[in-house]
Amino acid sequence: MQISGAEILVRSLQEEGVEFVFGYPGGAVLEIYDAIFKQDQFKHVLVRHEQAAVHAADAYSRSCNKVGVALVTSGPGATNAVTGIATAYMDSVPMVVISGQVPTPAIGMDAFQEVDMVGITRPCVKHNFLVKDIGELATTIKKAFYIAATGRPGPVVVDIPKDVTQRLAEFHYPESVSIRSYVPVTRGHPGQIKKAASLLAEARRPYIYIGGGAVQGNASAEVTELVRMLGLPCTNTLMGLGAYPGDDRQCLGMLGMHGTYEANMAMQYCDVLIAVGARFDDRVISVPSHFLAQPKKIVHIDIDPSSIAKRVKVDVPIVGDVKHVLRDLIDLMKQNGQRPDAANLAGWWMQIEQWRSYNSLLYTPSSELIKPQYVVQKLYEITGGDAIITSDVGQHQMWAAQYYPFKRPKQWLNSGGLGTMGFGLPAAIGAQLANPDAQVACITGEGSIQMNIQELSTAKQYHTPVKVIALNNRYLGMVRQWQELFYGTRYAESYMDALPDFVGIAEAYGHVGMKIENPADVEGALREAFSPALKERLVFMDFRTDQSENVFPMIQNGKGLDQMDLPPHMRELQIAPFENNRDYGNMC
Amino acid sequence: MRHILSILLENEAGALSRVVGLFSARAYNIDSLTVSTTEDPTLSRMTIVTHGSDEVIEQITKQLNKLIEVVKVIDLNESDHIERELMLIKVRATGKDREEMKRMADIFRGRIIDVTEKTYTIELTGTSEKLGAFIEAIDRSVILETVRTGASGIGRGERILKI
Ligand SMILES: Cc1cc2nc3c(=O)[nH]c(=O)nc-3n(C[C@H](O)[C@H](O)[C@H](O)COP(=O)(O)OP(=O)(O)OC[C@H]3O[C@@H](n4cnc5c(N)ncnc54)[C@H](O)[C@@H]3O)c2cc1C
Ligand SMILES: Cc1ncc(C[n+]2csc(CCOP(=O)(O)OP(=O)(O)O)c2C)c(N)n1
Ligand SMILES: [Mg+2]
């Protein structure tokens, strides 16, 4: 029996086991919406802006390991989706974005709501397709899901002209596809793994640097096993938070621009570094030459060869899926009884403990002003450290990363690579739909939340009781911090004037609003928001926080990992420089 | 250093723009680019001449391989190869220049493929260097137009690029 292209698309999505499609209708996709209307196998979530559809689908994927799906119309619908697509691309999130296109005969005619979606998104997708022939539609969808989810994951755009959705054809969904020009690697080279094992066994100051690849690659168990088996110190990048439990002693916290003192010092002064699905980002190692000035051997495990030797030359590149490579590495080391020398390792730990003892995340508490760090700490306490946290971009994002030690992967959803303000709320909605029983909180700023605040309406319609934790400092705080430090306190356009009454806004959208101005009220308000009475409600918590608080430690542009701007309490300390051959025995 | 990359890619709409877009997005250089279908109509063969440090060339190769439609990439510089480029050059050929142009074309093993009272059009193939040398060798003022294809390359001997 022949069915329409729109029905073929819908059937294909069903075959892929899609649960939710996040989208927004328009002329070019009316046929598709009609086909969606006639089925009930998956649910459509109507957002209020296409950017939010893509962020929600993205966070859905990040939080549950499935491919997220978004659907937008041609022209403005498609361009609105671009920020979301670029966000997912930078963080390697598997997604399929379907965009409507003007009918094939109209392409190139400057038709109404025509944009070259394939051209616009080319630099920010893993791949994209324009489906000109209905005979190709089902196979293209199969390919899109396959490409999105395999190898280094990423978003795939499928642009479908309206006439293709209207034409009729037989439906056959391929069981599998193979693409001769696309063959992702999984297993690492045994010879390279052997070299990595020997390096680790000979290390005096080993360190494991865990990135988003360990989260995306579901390798948390393997990472944890390796770190524990050998008793090593480790660190998570912003994207890797939770891959190794942040509340464990062997984890030195996040590293990088706003990483902890100990995590950054260990990164600079380790002698053998194992990078696990991490890409030596500029916000992590800062200046490569300074990072490499301290000699170290580097093993880099990554599924994408182009991530290796991009910013840093490494000694042992291993192309492969982290999960498999780590399994092989662990088995090999176990079999050979290889492990680093215990005395050396104990000395290294002693140095690390000394760095840790400075407590670089200490802040000055206040009984008058709400400290943003305190809000995050209380949130951690009250949610038992178990909530799924989404965030926007700015100081609040860094405080969330620093003061909420994530226990498990996929618990922390944020835009790291693109740094997209407006990600948090739609992401929380997507994550809540994927995890209906989880507590989901969105830590945001008064600037970021206003970039997609209309999604409060979506949250109402789909009953997603997320808790919005707005750390309202009346400033584009991260911008203000840079202006304070580097632009002589000239706060050009970083003050958020004319702020709305967020409680009123929340209520107008049918939610619960709270305004918290006193440190003494923080805990009570949070307890109430997370109480059974409000379990089914979205609560918008407007915390009026200390306007002048800054994020520390901080590595300024051009500085090295061991040249952090330290928090006030550490500035007066005389910290001895690291010495290679220090007698650790005398240190305690 | 100058490198010649030889690429096999799916003969599909948009594949070329992916390659070109990659070079501009990542600020890599393209000195020349040629592309055409192969004996297998589903495949195109592209030759890109580029330059950069070893690190940059390594990244270019990896990034090209990452494109879904790219089937294979080789850096011809890694072993013996042959390189050819075609140039069509129209020159003024009047008076004493007419005889001189004919002589130069012969020396460079070029062929005159179109003649008018005032002009010659010369066809010349060779390495890009040789074509450059021809241009240097003749009087600049007689050149009316040059069209160069950019280099194509192929491995010497038994070495082939195939899927
Ligand atoms: C305001 C702000 C401040 C920031 N400050 C910091 C900071 O202080 N510290 C910090 O760390 N970041 C910070 N970032 C984030 C930073 O910009 C980068 O996004 C982040 O550091 C990249 O993390 P990653 O190296 O883990 O790589 P990701 O972007 O997560 O990349 C993952 C890597 O793993 C690979 N991979 C994927 N799947 C697999 C698999 N299955 N097997 C093997 N490999 C795989 C990929 O190919 C890729 O190379 C900040 C961002 C913002 C917006
Ligand atoms: C879409 C977008 N525009 C601009 C920026 C630049 N930017 C980074 S952080 C920031 C300030 C964010 O302010 P707010 O949400 O209030 O968070 P705070 O830093 O105050 O916690 C800005 C403007 C960005 N990351 N994203
Ligand atoms: Mg703010």
Side-chain angles (χ1 to χ4, degrees):
Chain A
M1 199 189 73
Q2 294 207 322
I3 58 175
S4 73
E7 284 164 327
I8 289 177
L9 170 64
V10 165
R11 294 271 297 273
S12 303
L13 296 178
Q14 292 171 344
E15 292 282 336
E16 289 295 336
V18 170
E19 278 184 298
F20 292 102
V21 170
F22 300 86
Y24 207 92
V29 288
L30 281 176
E31 204 74 29
I32 300 173
Y33 272 88
D34 197 46
I36 291 177
F37 187 84
K38 295 179 193 151
Q39 62 88 49
D40 56 8
Q41 230 168 295
F42 61 79
K43 209 168 167 191
H44 181 273
V45 177
L46 177 69
V47 294
R48 302 313 191 243
H49 185 294
E50 288 88 351
Q51 181 189 346
V54 184
H55 289 328
D58 167 325
Y60 169 86
S61 169
R62 292 189 204 220
S63 68
C64 81
N65 229 1
K66 293 198 190 124
V67 176
V69 180
L71 169 61
V72 298
T73 193
S74 68
T79 53
N80 271 352
V82 172
T83 301
I85 295 168
T87 303
Y89 178 70
M90 290 297 279
D91 291 341
S92 310
V93 181
M95 239 177 20
V96 171
V97 178
I98 294 153
S99 52
Q101 183 54 277
V102 300
T104 37
I107 290 179
M109 304 309 243
D110 298 322
F112 176 63
Q113 296 197 327
E114 178 183 2
V115 295
D116 173 9
M117 184 59 167
V118 165
I120 286 179
T121 58
R122 195 175 289 126
C124 61
V125 292
K126 182 165 175 191
H127 196 58
N128 57 21
F129 296 95
L130 169 64
V131 185
K132 283 191 176 155
D133 172 2
I134 187 169
E136 301 273 305
L137 183 55
T139 315
T140 305
I141 299 297
K142 182 83 201 173
K143 280 186 187 168
F145 276 84
Y146 169 62
I147 292 171
T150 51
R152 178 176 184 170
V156 177
V157 166
V158 184
D159 200 31
I160 311 178
K162 185 164 183 179
D163 55 331
V164 173
T165 66
Q166 291 167 322
R167 245 176 264 147
L168 300 176
E170 297 284 336
F171 175 65
H172 298 290
Y173 202 64
E175 288 262 303
S176 65
V177 280
S178 77
I179 303 173
R180 63 177 170 186
S181 54
Y182 174 69
V183 190
V185 201
T186 46
R187 303 308 286 255
H189 191 285
Q192 296 295 86
I193 294 174
K194 221 166 136 186
K195 281 190 209 160
S198 314
L199 274 182
L200 258 182
E202 287 154 20
R204 301 172 64 90
R205 299 186 305 280
Y207 196 37
I208 312 285
Y209 153 51
I210 306 158
V215 176
Q216 289 289 358
N218 296 307
S220 175
E222 289 74 13
V223 170
T224 309
E225 188 180 340
L226 178 76
V227 170
R228 298 226 167 115
M229 176 175 98
L230 301 178
L232 307 179
C234 68
T235 179
N236 294 314
T237 67
L238 182 71
M239 301 314 293
L241 294 178
Y244 185 89
D247 57 354
D248 186 273
R249 287 299 285 177
Q250 277 172 255
C251 180
L252 311 190
M254 182 174 80
L255 83 168
M257 179 178 269
H258 293 296
T260 65
Y261 184 71
E262 56 274 25
N264 285 339
M265 293 298 279
M267 186 73 170
Q268 182 68 10
Y269 293 107
C270 61
D271 72 342
V272 171
L273 180 70
I274 315 286
V276 182
R279 54 188 176 83
F280 293 92
D281 189 79
D282 48 301
R283 290 226 154 171
V284 171
I285 57 158
S286 216
V287 191
S289 56
H290 184 92
F291 170 62
L292 294 175
Q294 175 71 28
K296 47 178 79 71
K297 296 274 184 220
I298 303 177
V299 177
H300 192 174
I301 307 168
D302 203 295
I303 202 158
D304 177 0
S306 76
S307 276
I308 299 178
K310 182 166 63 185
R311 299 194 73 237
V312 166
K313 257 200 148 55
V314 300
D315 303 275
V316 183
I318 306 179
V319 177
D321 180 6
V322 271
K323 197 176 176 72
H324 286 104
V325 174
L326 288 180
R327 184 76 266 143
D328 290 348
L329 179 64
I330 293 166
D331 290 349
L332 181 72
M333 293 191 80
K334 261 192 195 155
Q335 200 187 328
N336 297 348
Q338 284 170 300
R339 49 186 314 127
D341 176 74
N344 280 332
L345 193 57
W348 177 223
W349 267 113
M350 221 174 284
Q351 170 64 78
I352 288 168
E353 290 304 346
Q354 189 184 47
W355 286 330
R356 175 142 62 187
S357 71
Y358 302 127
N359 196 358
S360 63
L361 294 184
L362 194 71
Y363 61 91
T364 320
S366 161
S367 55
E368 268 124 59
L369 296 171
I370 299 180
K371 293 286 178 176
Q373 302 95 325
Y374 174 73
V375 178
V376 178
Q377 283 177 325
K378 283 291 154 196
L379 177 68
Y380 179 79
E381 237 176 81
I382 286 160
T383 55
D386 240 359
I388 294 177
I389 307 287
T390 72
S391 96
D392 272 300
V393 174
Q395 292 182 314
H396 62 271
Q397 176 190 24
M398 293 299 109
W399 287 316
Q402 291 175 328
Y403 296 92
Y404 201 108
F406 296 95
K407 295 183 193 171
R408 52 171 206 280
K410 299 180 184 279
Q411 196 190 347
W412 163 242
L413 316 174
N414 83 133
S415 165
L418 198 68
T420 309
M421 289 171 70
F423 178 80
L425 180 57
I429 295 171
Q432 185 78 78
L433 289 170
N435 303 271
D437 301 325
Q439 291 181 326
V440 178
C442 162
I443 297 181
T444 182
E446 80 298 330
S448 295
I449 192 68
Q450 293 188 82
M451 287 220 175
N452 268 323
I453 199 159
Q454 76 287 347
E455 297 310 313
L456 287 173
S457 177
T458 311
K460 183 69 188 170
Q461 184 173 344
Y462 297 94
H463 311 290
T464 48
V466 306
K467 310 294 182 247
V468 178
I469 314 290
L471 302 178
N472 181 350
N473 51 10
R474 281 80 74 208
Y475 272 106
L476 299 172
M478 189 54 94
V479 173
R480 190 203 57 74
Q481 175 166 346
W482 283 54
Q483 289 168 334
E484 178 184 330
L485 298 175
F486 315 124
Y487 294 91
T489 69
R490 290 181 300 282
Y491 297 139
E493 306 299 324
S494 55
Y495 182 66
M496 273 265 127
D497 215 336
L499 275 181
D501 163 14
F502 287 113
V503 172
I505 286 196
E507 288 172 357
Y509 275 110
H511 301 301
V512 180
M514 294 181 183
K515 183 168 171 176
I516 304 96
E517 293 175 285
N518 262 309
D521 300 334
V522 169
E523 182 164 352
L526 281 167
R527 285 203 187 280
E528 191 189 340
F530 285 92
S531 70
L534 294 178
K535 191 164 188 300
E536 304 298 325
R537 304 295 301 274
L538 183 151
V539 184
F540 192 116
M541 310 187 75
D542 178 10
F543 289 96
R544 297 300 174 119
T545 57
D546 182 352
Q547 296 190 280
S548 61
E549 197 61 35
N550 285 334
V551 184
F552 288 114
M554 173 173 187
I555 303 173
Q556 295 190 14
N557 281 344
K559 289 282 174 64
L561 280 157
D562 56 346
Q563 299 170 322
M564 289 162 267
D565 278 14
L566 295 171
H569 76 278
M570 285 178 74
R571 288 178 202 158
E572 307 305 317
L573 295 176
Q574 301 291 325
I575 302 178
F578 174 80
E579 284 167 42
N580 252 341
N581 299 312
R582 184 177 305 168
D583 179 0
Y584 295 106
N586 295 333
M587 271 175 46
C588 17
Chain B
M1 202 183 111
R2 178 177 184 270
H3 285 253
I4 307 188
L5 303 178
S6 211
I7 305 160
L8 267 185
L9 71 165
E10 299 290 349
N11 184 12
E12 275 168 20
L16 173 63
S17 19
R18 277 182 224 283
V19 173
V20 175
L22 171 72
F23 274 75
S24 63
R26 294 191 183 263
Y28 304 143
N29 306 294
I30 298 185
D31 297 333
S32 75
L33 182 156
T34 69
V35 59
S36 191
T37 51
T38 64
E39 78 284 0
D40 173 353
T42 66
L43 286 174
S44 299
R45 173 82 174 242
M46 184 185 278
T47 310
I48 294 184
V49 178
T50 180
H51 62 270
S53 64
D54 289 352
E55 291 77 30
V56 169
I57 300 296
E58 183 182 335
Q59 265 298 310
I60 292 178
T61 312
K62 287 174 168 177
Q63 293 291 348
L64 282 169
N65 270 311
K66 209 166 131 177
L67 296 177
I68 306 287
E69 283 151 343
V70 167
V71 185
K72 260 190 183 165
V73 181
I74 55 165
D75 182 348
L76 286 175
N77 287 47
E78 278 171 6
S79 60
D80 255 9
H81 65 278
I82 303 163
E83 180 191 334
R84 287 293 180 273
E85 181 175 354
L86 167 69
M87 173 165 72
L88 302 177
I89 181 164
K90 192 172 289 183
V91 291
R92 188 176 314 108
T94 49
K96 66 170 186 1
D97 284 342
R98 207 165 171 87
E99 192 42 40
E100 172 67 5
M101 276 304 131
K102 169 90 180 68
R103 209 172 60 82
M104 289 304 282
D106 287 345
I107 292 173
F108 279 83
R109 295 183 204 288
R111 295 198 301 143
I112 297 172
I113 53 173
D114 188 39
V115 178
T116 69
E117 261 176 38
K118 294 188 182 140
T119 66
Y120 281 156
T121 300
I122 303 167
E123 171 197 319
L124 201 64
T125 54
T127 62
S128 307
E129 257 185 335
K130 172 179 159 184
L131 305 191
F134 180 77
I135 291 175
E136 289 302 315
I138 62 177
D139 181 359
R140 283 268 159 158
S141 67
V142 304
I143 301 177
L144 299 171
E145 197 177 351
T146 60
V147 182
R148 297 175 64 161
T149 58
S152 293
I154 196 162
R156 254 188 208 286
E158 314 268 295
R159 189 164 171 250
I160 51 173
L161 174 61
K162 244 193 141 141
I163 48 170

